[in-house]
Amino acid sequence: MIIDVHGHVSLPPEVLAYKAQLSASLGNPDVGPPQISDERLREFNRKHIGLLDGVGTDVQLISPRPFHAWHAQRPHSVVVDWTRHVNDIIARTCALFPDRYIGMGGLPQATGEPLDTALAELTRCVQEYGFVGFLLNPDPSEGGTPVPPGLGDRYWYPLYEKLCELDLPVLVHSASCSAPRESYTLHFINEESIAIVSLLESSVFTDFPELKMVIGHGGGAIPFQIARFESWRVKNKNPERFQESMRRLWYDTCVYNAEGLDLLFKIVGPDRCAFGTELPGTGTEVDPVSGRVFDDLKPVIEQQIPWLTDDDRAAVFEHNPRRIFNLKM
Amino acid sequence: MIIDVHGHVSLPPEVLAYKAQLSASLGNPDVGPPQISDERLREFNRKHIGLLDGVGTDVQLISPRPFHAWHAQRPHSVVVDWTRHVNDIIARTCALFPDRYIGMGGLPQATGEPLDTALAELTRCVQEYGFVGFLLNPDPSEGGTPVPPGLGDRYWYPLYEKLCELDLPVLVHSASCSAPRESYTLHFINEESIAIVSLLESSVFTDFPELKMVIGHGGGAIPFQIARFESWRVKNKNPERFQESMRRLWYDTCVYNAEGLDLLFKIVGPDRCAFGTELPGTGTEVDPVSGRVFDDLKPVIEQQIPWLTDDDRAAVFEHNPRRIFNLKM
């Protein structure tokens, strides 16, 4: 079975129209979410399901599209309303395609706000919808200002406590869309690099040894640049090798070529990777060289990294996703 | 011959004491640079030269240590004074070891300032000292605020014009030391990623096809994450593959393990790479696995990347450094 842990829900335009309405009437309580029929949602998802069929993905975990997370919006109540609505749509979409989609929730985060609203929404989504994990945005600010606390900061501890209590993982995935010199697609990579270093140079995994975090996009820059952090470990007389520390985390395979995936598997081990493509997303364009979409990673993992064993591939495609997200199907 | 294009001058404590004096009396004209004898400079460099001998480096290009660039300091005249002093020390150090060091200058950059002071110092260093290139900091701000213009912005054009006129390269190397969530060593990586994407998604190399830029630390995250930018090229109907665009730039080999260097050479080609280690720097710690310092990269390139040809290695170690920096020795 092929399980893609990194997918984002396809939102029909009515949902984005609601976002635009919320945006135009910030905090105005007479703007309610749109009525969308099951038929409409089912029809709208045909394209997405067709893409999964086209690349041989059996099941995809779908979470809010980070690009639309809107975390820095004020007042914060708007973020709460918007996140709740998107989570509702995810739950309904999963219910319509129970064999193809599994729900992962978004959290109404905001730099400078306590995590209360995030924890409340997390609890609601687990109780009402049985979501198997959540996105965690390490940078819920507008263009990096105010600077959010790194994921190693105790600010996040109430969330980590709750995640451990419920045995729930997060997919660390930046969502900030307003970094003036960076496209959001590059900003994601930089934020994921910051997240890894912040986590692994903190006491988070001493305090929460059972915490399960998947780093999006194959860990940003860190698998490629690992040795400079290894050297800092020696300099700081930290006896644990950085490479060992990296294995406290999980990584998706959302790196769109064989060279990158080969490096990722070599550095962190295929036993710490879970198949993830973000299809449809940044990689959903046809590579003129291969003739396939960039995010069609199954044949890359199956054919272009010859040192992987069948067991390695089965772990990446199925067993690691099942283990991380406690999947029951 | 082994030429290391990425080295930083070793500054005796008297020089850093001068920086502290400048810092304490900002802009006070009665603080003058320290008198340091040739004997003192020669003696102080013994350790640095010993490190080069230990790893078999014949010649190193030495530039200001970015960690001490101080670009965001106000008033800007202090940055001008400090940069000038460091460049003077570099020139004197090179003159004392003419067979081992070649000078690369620093520029008194500052976000929000015109490039006039940078251009004046560049001209002075070329005329007085024959420096063969300069460091270019893509982020001369304090902790990212104010946000500097990306290297693709026309703000930098007066510098690019001068560099092309004089056939001088720059080593793109972040120097900002005050990013609240990032160690400077990680900040460098992120800034170099931003620099590459900003440059290659702009018209800089259309407007300055002869511009020579070496990206520090093997290009940050981009060689590892290249395929997502490849996909964006398709999405934006840009017919040039991102991988081809990347070959308009040069890269140092300052990635401290075989896995990273293997990927770098595969993605950009050894013909676009120049040996660079930053020794002594972040990598100057003994790797308990190899028993060598992390920045001893000569044996890694010679022995651990078997697909490289002798010509490839000669290009990386000597011919590319000579070509980029117009070295005469």
Side-chain angles (χ1 to χ4, degrees):
Chain A
M1 179 176 271
I2 308 291
I3 304 172
D4 182 343
V5 304
H6 185 162
H8 303 302
V9 65
S10 285
L11 294 175
E14 297 91 315
V15 176
L16 295 180
Y18 171 57
K19 189 182 182 190
Q21 293 282 8
L22 279 173
S23 176
S25 61
L26 289 172
N28 184 339
D30 70 5
V31 176
Q35 301 299 313
I36 304 173
S37 69
D38 283 355
E39 195 178 358
R40 169 70 173 142
L41 274 185
R42 193 179 288 111
E43 177 63 28
F44 190 77
N45 270 276
R46 280 222 181 127
K47 184 177 169 195
H48 192 140
I49 295 284
L51 288 167
L52 298 184
D53 289 342
V55 298
T57 290
D58 297 299
V59 178
Q60 189 180 51
L61 274 59
I62 52 172
S63 57
R65 192 156 289 277
F67 179 74
H68 274 300
W70 217 23
H71 285 153
Q73 185 59 55
R74 299 288 167 183
H76 181 59
S77 60
V78 174
V79 186
V80 174
D81 289 349
W82 169 243
T83 306
R84 183 182 176 98
H85 180 58
V86 174
N87 285 334
D88 290 348
I89 294 287
I90 289 171
R92 289 185 57 202
T93 304
C94 292
L96 291 169
F97 299 92
D99 299 332
R100 306 306 300 276
Y101 289 142
I102 295 176
M104 194 188 302
L107 300 174
Q109 306 176 226
T111 302
E113 295 283 337
L115 289 168
D116 303 14
T117 54
L119 292 173
E121 180 65 4
L122 181 151
T123 304
R124 181 186 82 91
C125 289
V126 172
Q127 290 177 347
E128 289 186 20
Y129 300 139
F131 282 177
V132 298
F134 289 83
L135 284 192
L136 177 60
N137 175 11
D139 178 31
S141 295
E142 179 83 5
T145 308
V147 176
L151 290 188
D153 194 278
R154 297 182 72 89
Y155 166 79
W156 302 100
Y157 273 28
L159 175 63
Y160 300 160
E161 277 166 23
K162 177 63 77 175
L163 291 167
C164 288
E165 177 195 325
L166 301 178
D167 192 19
L168 281 169
V170 285
L171 173 61
V172 175
H173 190 313
S174 175
S176 175
C177 306
S178 180
R181 292 178 305 157
E182 294 164 271
S183 65
Y184 67 87
T185 203
L186 172 58
H187 187 69
F188 291 176
I189 300 304
N190 287 344
E191 283 297 325
E192 285 143 8
S193 301
I194 293 170
I196 291 175
V197 177
S198 180
L199 283 165
L200 299 185
E201 295 296 347
S202 76
S203 56
V204 165
F205 283 95
T206 308
D207 297 335
F208 301 98
E210 306 301 320
L211 187 60
K212 292 190 291 189
M213 306 182 105
V214 183
I215 309 294
H217 311 111
I222 307 302
F224 178 50
Q225 295 282 352
I226 184 175
R228 61 192 296 110
F229 301 97
E230 210 67 89
S231 185
W232 269 42
R233 281 288 167 96
V234 178
K235 192 186 305 264
N236 296 330
K237 304 198 181 351
N238 183 330
E240 182 171 282
R241 282 181 67 79
F242 197 81
Q243 190 162 14
E244 264 315 294
S245 299
M246 283 189 74
R247 289 173 50 79
R248 297 176 189 276
L249 301 167
W250 299 86
Y251 304 86
D252 72 18
T253 63
C254 206
V255 175
Y256 295 129
N257 65 12
E259 294 88 343
L261 287 172
D262 179 80
L263 180 88
L264 174 67
F265 292 140
K266 277 183 184 149
I267 297 297
V268 305
D271 58 325
R272 299 305 294 185
C273 294
F275 187 65
T277 71
E278 202 170 26
L279 174 77
T282 289
T284 314
E285 300 289 338
V286 175
D287 179 356
V289 174
S290 74
R292 298 192 320 272
V293 285
F294 287 96
D295 46 17
D296 183 6
L297 294 177
K298 179 167 165 277
V300 177
I301 295 169
E302 284 176 337
Q303 298 159 24
Q304 294 184 45
I305 305 171
W307 61 271
L308 289 179
T309 65
D310 287 346
D311 282 351
D312 289 337
R313 293 192 188 95
V316 171
F317 287 135
E318 178 174 359
H319 303 311
N320 295 342
R322 283 185 184 278
R323 177 176 161 202
I324 301 165
F325 292 92
N326 301 312
L327 302 182
K328 302 292 188 300
M329 86 289 177
Chain B
M1 179 177 272
I2 308 291
I3 304 171
D4 182 342
V5 305
H6 185 163
H8 303 301
V9 65
S10 286
L11 294 175
E14 297 90 315
V15 176
L16 295 180
Y18 170 57
K19 189 182 182 191
Q21 293 283 8
L22 278 174
S23 176
S25 61
L26 289 172
N28 184 338
D30 70 5
V31 176
Q35 302 299 314
I36 304 173
S37 69
D38 282 355
E39 195 178 357
R40 169 70 173 141
L41 273 185
R42 193 180 287 113
E43 177 62 27
F44 191 77
N45 270 276
R46 279 220 182 130
K47 184 177 170 196
H48 192 140
I49 294 284
L51 287 167
L52 298 184
D53 289 342
V55 299
T57 291
D58 298 299
V59 177
Q60 190 181 50
L61 276 59
I62 51 171
S63 57
R65 193 157 287 277
F67 179 75
H68 274 300
W70 217 24
H71 285 153
Q73 185 58 57
R74 299 286 167 184
H76 181 59
S77 60
V78 174
V79 186
V80 174
D81 288 349
W82 169 243
T83 306
R84 183 183 177 98
H85 180 59
V86 174
N87 285 334
D88 290 348
I89 295 288
I90 289 171
R92 288 184 57 203
T93 305
C94 292
L96 291 170
F97 299 92
D99 299 332
R100 307 305 299 275
Y101 289 143
I102 296 176
M104 195 187 302
L107 300 173
Q109 306 177 226
T111 303
E113 294 285 337
L115 289 168
D116 303 13
T117 54
L119 292 172
E121 181 63 4
L122 181 150
T123 304
R124 181 185 83 90
C125 289
V126 172
Q127 290 177 348
E128 289 185 20
Y129 299 139
F131 282 177
V132 299
F134 289 84
L135 284 192
L136 178 60
N137 175 12
D139 178 30
S141 294
E142 179 83 5
T145 308
V147 177
L151 289 188
D153 194 278
R154 297 183 72 88
Y155 166 79
W156 302 100
Y157 273 28
L159 175 63
Y160 300 161
E161 277 167 23
K162 177 63 77 175
L163 292 167
C164 288
E165 177 195 325
L166 300 178
D167 193 19
L168 282 169
V170 286
L171 172 61
V172 176
H173 190 313
S174 175
S176 176
C177 307
S178 180
R181 292 179 303 155
E182 295 163 271
S183 64
Y184 68 87
T185 205
L186 171 58
H187 188 69
F188 291 175
I189 301 303
N190 288 344
E191 282 297 325
E192 286 143 7
S193 301
I194 293 171
I196 292 175
V197 177
S198 180
L199 284 165
L200 300 185
E201 296 295 348
S202 77
S203 56
V204 164
F205 283 95
T206 308
D207 297 335
F208 302 98
E210 305 301 321
L211 187 61
K212 293 190 292 190
M213 305 183 106
V214 183
I215 308 295
H217 311 110
I222 307 301
F224 178 50
Q225 295 282 352
I226 184 175
R228 61 192 297 110
F229 301 98
E230 210 69 88
S231 185
W232 269 42
R233 281 289 166 95
V234 177
K235 192 186 305 263
N236 296 331
K237 303 197 181 355
N238 183 331
E240 182 170 282
R241 282 179 68 78
F242 197 82
Q243 190 163 13
E244 264 315 294
S245 300
M246 282 189 76
R247 289 173 51 78
R248 296 177 189 275
L249 300 166
W250 298 86
Y251 304 85
D252 71 18
T253 62
C254 205
V255 174
Y256 295 129
N257 65 11
E259 294 88 342
L261 287 172
D262 179 81
L263 180 88
L264 174 67
F265 292 140
K266 276 183 184 149
I267 296 296
V268 306
D271 58 325
R272 299 305 294 185
C273 294
F275 187 65
T277 71
E278 202 169 27
L279 173 76
T282 289
T284 315
E285 300 290 338
V286 175
D287 179 355
V289 174
S290 74
R292 298 191 320 271
V293 286
F294 287 96
D295 45 19
D296 183 6
L297 294 176
K298 179 167 166 277
V300 178
I301 295 170
E302 284 176 338
Q303 298 159 24
Q304 295 184 44
I305 306 172
W307 61 270
L308 289 179
T309 66
D310 287 347
D311 283 351
D312 288 338
R313 294 191 187 96
V316 170
F317 286 135
E318 178 174 358
H319 303 313
N320 295 343
R322 284 185 182 279
R323 179 176 161 202
I324 300 166
F325 291 93
N326 301 310
L327 302 183
K328 302 293 188 298
M329 86 288 178

